[in-house]
Amino acid sequence: MTKTIPVAVYWDSSSILSVLFKDTYSKEALTWFKKKGIHLISTLSYTEVCGVISRIKREKLLADILIDVAFKALKTGPWRYLNIWPEWEKLIALSQKWSLRGTHLWHLATAKTLQNQIPELTLLTFDSRLGIAVKGEGLLAK
């Protein structure tokens, strides 16, 4: 019998959106979604996902019922909500090491900040540029 190893995953907005809406990465995202462990969402991830869902609604790209389901899934998923921000010095150091947009830098630095308390933490992202930095910082989801 194989023992299930619990995970500690920090979800960025790209990974959350792949759970909520079918895309190229949905299969992998759903695999992570079903894993036992700690699933973490920052206020920034939550904000970004709310913004995308609301834009989809405004542009009438999906029926309102599907928008409601997406918001409900965001609220009721396995995620624990974090009120955390990255350490200031980590932002400076990581900004000089990696060429990232501000939000991606924020996610990376926040995950590195959390890694001090949760050494096994991984950052789940489907953004290629952030993914390179995640791998380089030892936060790659396995």
Side-chain angles (χ1 to χ4, degrees), residues 24-125:
T24 306
Y25 304 104
S26 291
K27 185 177 178 182
E28 184 177 351
L30 288 168
T31 298
W32 280 98
F33 184 83
K34 294 174 185 173
K35 289 187 179 195
K36 295 217 181 295
I38 301 169
H39 298 268
L40 304 168
I41 295 181
S42 68
T43 53
L44 179 58
S45 294
Y46 192 86
T47 301
E48 290 175 318
V49 171
C50 286
V52 170
I53 296 170
S54 293
R55 180 180 49 80
I56 290 169
K57 180 177 181 168
R58 277 191 307 280
E59 294 177 5
K60 300 187 185 317
L61 299 174
L62 289 175
D64 284 350
I65 187 74
L66 296 175
I67 297 299
D68 294 342
V69 168
F71 275 123
K72 183 175 182 179
L74 180 62
K75 285 179 172 177
T76 61
W79 301 292
R80 294 182 188 183
Y81 303 117
L82 295 174
N83 291 316
I84 189 170
W85 50 87
E87 293 173 355
W88 294 94
E89 290 302 316
K90 285 197 185 338
L91 285 166
I92 293 169
L94 293 169
S95 72
Q96 293 174 352
K97 189 173 180 182
W98 304 104
S99 177
L100 297 171
R101 292 184 306 158
T103 56
H104 291 152
L105 175 62
W106 195 95
H107 287 304
L108 182 63
T110 299
K112 290 299 288 182
T113 299
L114 281 169
Q115 195 178 38
N116 293 335
Q117 297 172 358
I118 310 171
E120 68 277 15
L121 184 74
T122 61
L123 193 163
L124 184 60
T125 184

